[in-house]
Amino acid sequence: MTISRRDFLMAMQAAAIAGLAPKLALAKGGEGLYDAPKFGNARLLHLTDIHAQLSPVYFREPNVNLGIGPNKGKVPHLVGTHFLDHFGVPLDTRRSHAFTYLNYTEAAQEYGKLGGFAHLKTLIDQLREQAGAGNSLLLDGGDLWQGSGTAFWTQGEDMVEASNRLGIDILTAHWEFTYPEEQIRKNLSAFKGEFLAQNVFLSDEAMFMGAESYDEASGRVFKPYTIRELGGKRIAIIGQAFPYTPIANPSYFIPDWRMGIRESEMQELVNDIREKEKVNAVVVLSHNGMDVDLKMASRVTGIDAILGGHTHDAVPQPTEVTNPGGKTLVSNAGTNGKYVAVLDLDIGNNGVRGYEYKLLPVFSDLIKPDPAMTSFIEEVRAPYLDKLGEKLAITDELLYRRGNFNGTMDQVICDAQRKVLDAQISLSPGFRWGTSVLPGDSITMDDVMNATAITYPETYVREMSGADLMLIMEDVADNLFNKDPYYQQGGDMVRVGGMDYTCDPTASMNGRISDMRLDNGERIEANKMYKVAGWATVNSRAPGPPIWDVVADYLRSEKTVRIDKFNTPTLKNVAGNPGIEDYAG
């Protein structure tokens, strides 16, 4: 049977009315990328760790993401070809570019940037339309208000309005807590969705003094959960903020708040919800980090899915974790707005009967930007365009951050501190956020802010003994490589400039770091003093200029950036680990 052009157009028009026709303009290689037909009766859309990136970005995935002990070779600790083989993703495709570091520069030049709120808006609206009115929720796992110049200068208010326009229904937090409490509450009052965090409590002293809380009896600072009806079924969403915020970030912003994983409180809350709320499903919106979520899922029963963040792992399929009460799905949806996770649930009266999951890369060349969101982003950036657009230098190589030990962007930051602040050694935090810059491109102030924009950016120069340096290195290594995920506080290894070292990630505390040497080969002695520069001190304000001014001064003087010495450690006992590829150290 043949169909006339008129009948074909009428059929397409009917399909469009029904929300079935594809609305995304697809370039070569994009066919089928955004196919996400409705499954079941509830659709959960998940974003996390956007780090205030309103515009499309380049962001290189890691070539080092080591799993140690029982986590060796397990998701999310797979990189490159090991990742592609595990998830069945073909090499040299859009999906392989979105999920791995492989051939990054060439693929980025071919496929362009990912993310951007205007493109997210178009995609999310379509995904919600496919699910039908009242059948979807848009969840954000936190790290939304921090990570760009505009977010810093507006104290996160630009991202609050952006999230309202995007339609975020539920939010939890981490870097949101690096603004003063007054600003946090101001932003949350402007947020049109719900903010949830079951694991944030007042200190005993603050409770006694009558500090503001959601629940005076328990001391919970925020609402712990909400009940939403999707597809005629009741779903509980529980918020889990980053447990170690007052340790990993300055506690002086939120001195009255205490956090933690709070596993027992989580189990008690799930039990209470199951018993009293008569829900059909329970979902946790988490900022624990994926390894912590996997352990929690094995121990806390009654949770159907944990939608996780913090560790920036882009995982195409969730891990099914068996526990005494059944199974829990654990996923993580990457970073920088590169992805939208789609979890479709088929929920019956007695619980979840089935699911489908997709992690969709947001290629900006494939998705038509939403005009209203585009105008909003232009309006937000307009007062700062001259400053953000300043071209500071040209880069000779790819600048990136993500990876357990160092990134070329981090090396630039370390080199800048050593030169501008006249130090022998420099230290820089192992942050996992920060966009990439392609070889031959200009490094702008926008790029610098994307790598440094925090609310405690001050630098320092001080004398440290070799013993002090060893203590710092061992402490951070234990946070990263502790075999018990509940003792991992997130982030990657502290970045260093002007020194090298040997690291055994498989060892125990005080046994991972050895053979620390200056760039000239001189061994760093425990009782000898060294001039060290750094930034982002947690316990007090440092006296020096903000790190972005230091980096900008360095780049202006260099004009062309070349990394002559890449300070990566020599590694021991990681041969054959699928969490490392193409490593020089």
Side-chain angles (χ1 to χ4, degrees), residues 420-470:
V420 175
L421 302 176
D422 188 26
Q424 291 173 281
I425 296 168
S426 55
L427 305 176
S428 188
F431 295 144
R432 294 187 173 189
W433 46 271
T435 56
S436 303
V437 184
L438 300 188
D441 283 359
S442 295
I443 308 169
T444 65
M445 195 65 190
D446 205 0
D447 298 317
V448 172
M449 295 302 292
N450 286 346
T452 60
I454 62 174
T455 52
Y456 50 107
E458 297 83 7
T459 53
Y460 64 83
V461 180
R462 65 181 65 143
E463 294 287 318
M464 287 188 191
S465 68
D468 289 338
L469 282 166
M470 175 68 79

Side-chain angles (χ1 to χ4, degrees), residues 37-117:
K38 178 184 175 183
F39 172 84
N41 47 10
R43 169 164 286 187
L44 301 179
L45 302 176
H46 180 216
L47 305 169
T48 192
D49 298 276
I50 286 175
H51 284 288
Q53 295 305 317
L54 289 172
S55 301
V57 301
Y58 294 117
F59 182 82
R60 176 192 182 270
E61 300 297 327
N63 66 306
V64 186
N65 185 5
L66 289 167
I68 301 301
N71 294 320
K72 178 182 177 180
K74 294 183 179 178
V75 176
H77 302 289
L78 302 169
V79 300
T81 55
H82 300 287
F83 181 102
L84 299 184
D85 291 345
H86 179 86
F87 289 108
V89 177
L91 181 63
D92 294 330
T93 61
R94 281 185 178 267
R95 295 185 75 235
S96 68
H97 171 57
F99 292 124
T100 72
Y101 74 94
L102 296 167
N103 306 317
Y104 183 80
T105 297
E106 296 79 4
Q109 290 168 339
E110 179 177 358
Y111 299 128
K113 296 182 177 183
L114 284 89
F117 263 55

Side-chain angles (χ1 to χ4, degrees), residues 103-247:
N103 306 317
Y104 183 80
T105 297
E106 296 79 4
Q109 290 168 339
E110 179 177 358
Y111 299 128
K113 296 182 177 183
L114 284 89
F117 263 55
H119 304 81
L120 282 168
K121 176 66 174 171
T122 298
L123 178 57
I124 287 168
D125 283 356
Q126 175 170 306
L127 292 169
R128 300 194 80 155
E129 183 181 336
Q130 289 172 341
N135 295 330
S136 67
L137 286 174
L138 178 57
L139 313 179
D140 189 286
D143 285 2
L144 177 62
W145 301 349
Q146 173 277 332
S148 71
T150 57
F152 174 78
W153 292 314
T154 66
Q155 296 287 279
E157 293 179 16
D158 64 330
M159 297 309 301
V160 174
E161 179 59 24
S163 65
N164 289 339
R165 290 168 180 259
L166 194 62
I168 293 173
D169 295 297
I170 298 170
L171 173 72
T172 194
H174 169 204
W175 279 89
E176 287 74 10
F177 294 152
T178 62
Y179 296 103
E181 180 180 349
E182 181 181 1
Q183 185 66 42
I184 296 168
R185 293 194 180 279
K186 179 182 178 183
N187 287 355
L188 290 179
S189 69
F191 175 50
K192 294 180 180 178
E194 283 191 280
F195 181 81
L196 305 176
Q198 77 86 21
N199 59 326
V200 183
F201 291 78
L202 289 175
S203 67
D204 291 342
E205 181 180 2
M207 284 186 67
F208 179 77
M209 297 301 293
E212 183 178 354
S213 66
Y214 170 78
D215 175 30
E216 291 184 6
S218 67
R220 276 196 169 100
V221 178
F222 300 106
K223 185 177 181 179
Y225 73 93
T226 188
I227 306 293
R228 298 295 184 94
E229 185 170 305
L230 300 180
K233 304 301 178 185
R234 287 168 58 80
I235 301 177
I237 310 292
I238 301 172
Q240 175 82 353
F242 180 53
Y244 297 114
T245 304
I247 300 172

Side-chain angles (χ1 to χ4, degrees), residues 318-341:
T319 299
E320 296 185 4
V321 179
T322 302
N323 57 52
K327 288 186 177 181
T328 300
L329 304 176
V330 177
S331 70
N332 198 296
T335 184
N336 280 278
K338 282 182 65 175
Y339 317 93
V340 177

Side-chain angles (χ1 to χ4, degrees), residues 196-520:
L196 305 176
Q198 77 86 21
N199 59 326
V200 183
F201 291 78
L202 289 175
S203 67
D204 291 342
E205 181 180 2
M207 284 186 67
F208 179 77
M209 297 301 293
E212 183 178 354
S213 66
Y214 170 78
D215 175 30
E216 291 184 6
S218 67
R220 276 196 169 100
V221 178
F222 300 106
K223 185 177 181 179
Y225 73 93
T226 188
I227 306 293
R228 298 295 184 94
E229 185 170 305
L230 300 180
K233 304 301 178 185
R234 287 168 58 80
I235 301 177
I237 310 292
I238 301 172
Q240 175 82 353
F242 180 53
Y244 297 114
T245 304
I247 300 172
N249 309 99
S251 60
Y252 53 74
F253 290 119
I254 46 170
D256 293 340
W257 299 353
R258 303 293 180 265
M259 299 181 193
I261 294 171
R262 306 275 184 169
E263 180 187 283
S264 59
E265 287 91 341
M266 177 68 83
Q267 184 66 77
E268 182 180 345
L269 183 61
V270 172
N271 293 345
D272 199 48
I273 291 170
R274 287 283 186 186
E275 178 183 350
K276 297 179 180 178
E277 298 283 6
K278 307 303 180 187
V279 297
N280 305 108
V282 175
V283 173
V284 173
L285 177 63
S286 166
H287 204 90
N288 279 335
M290 190 160 182
D291 284 344
V292 177
D293 285 334
L294 289 167
K295 180 174 179 178
M296 176 177 279
S298 73
R299 295 163 60 93
V300 177
T301 62
I303 299 172
D304 293 294
I306 300 178
L307 303 180
H310 180 60
T311 40
H312 295 191
D313 301 304
V315 180
Q317 286 297 321
T319 299
E320 296 185 4
V321 179
T322 302
N323 57 52
K327 288 186 177 181
T328 300
L329 304 176
V330 177
S331 70
N332 198 296
T335 184
N336 280 278
K338 282 182 65 175
Y339 317 93
V340 177
V342 183
L343 175 60
D344 284 338
L345 298 173
D346 178 21
I347 305 174
N349 292 331
N350 296 320
V352 176
R353 299 177 296 206
Y355 75 93
E356 286 191 0
Y357 183 91
K358 288 183 172 66
L359 187 61
L360 305 178
V362 184
F363 284 98
S364 60
D365 70 321
L366 298 184
I367 302 172
K368 185 178 179 180
D370 177 78
M373 187 69 83
T374 298
S375 296
F376 167 72
I377 294 169
E378 291 172 351
E379 180 182 331
V380 165
R381 290 175 59 83
Y384 313 105
L385 271 183
D386 289 345
K387 186 171 185 177
L388 292 173
E390 182 187 356
K391 295 179 180 180
L392 302 167
I394 301 292
T395 178
D396 260 6
E397 58 187 283
L398 174 68
L399 299 183
Y400 64 89
R401 166 167 280 168
R402 182 73 173 93
N404 282 162
F405 296 104
N406 206 354
T408 49
M409 180 65 85
D410 296 294
Q411 189 69 55
V412 169
I413 294 170
C414 286
D415 292 347
Q417 291 180 95
R418 288 182 65 210
K419 181 172 181 179
V420 175
L421 302 176
D422 188 26
Q424 291 173 281
I425 296 168
S426 55
L427 305 176
S428 188
F431 295 144
R432 294 187 173 189
W433 46 271
T435 56
S436 303
V437 184
L438 300 188
D441 283 359
S442 295
I443 308 169
T444 65
M445 195 65 190
D446 205 0
D447 298 317
V448 172
M449 295 302 292
N450 286 346
T452 60
I454 62 174
T455 52
Y456 50 107
E458 297 83 7
T459 53
Y460 64 83
V461 180
R462 65 181 65 143
E463 294 287 318
M464 287 188 191
S465 68
D468 289 338
L469 282 166
M470 175 68 79
L471 185 63
I472 291 171
M473 302 293 287
E474 285 283 1
D475 185 57
V476 179
D478 194 59
N479 284 341
L480 181 57
F481 297 120
N482 196 299
K483 293 180 176 64
D484 185 344
Y486 278 11
Y487 289 93
Q488 297 171 7
Q489 295 174 11
D492 283 313
M493 192 64 190
V494 59
R495 279 57 167 123
V496 298
M499 65 171 275
D500 294 310
Y501 62 99
T502 295
C503 179
D504 182 355
T506 66
S508 300
M509 181 68 176
N510 297 321
R512 294 186 179 94
I513 307 298
S514 61
D515 196 27
M516 298 195 309
R517 295 177 180 269
L518 297 175
D519 277 356
N520 63 9

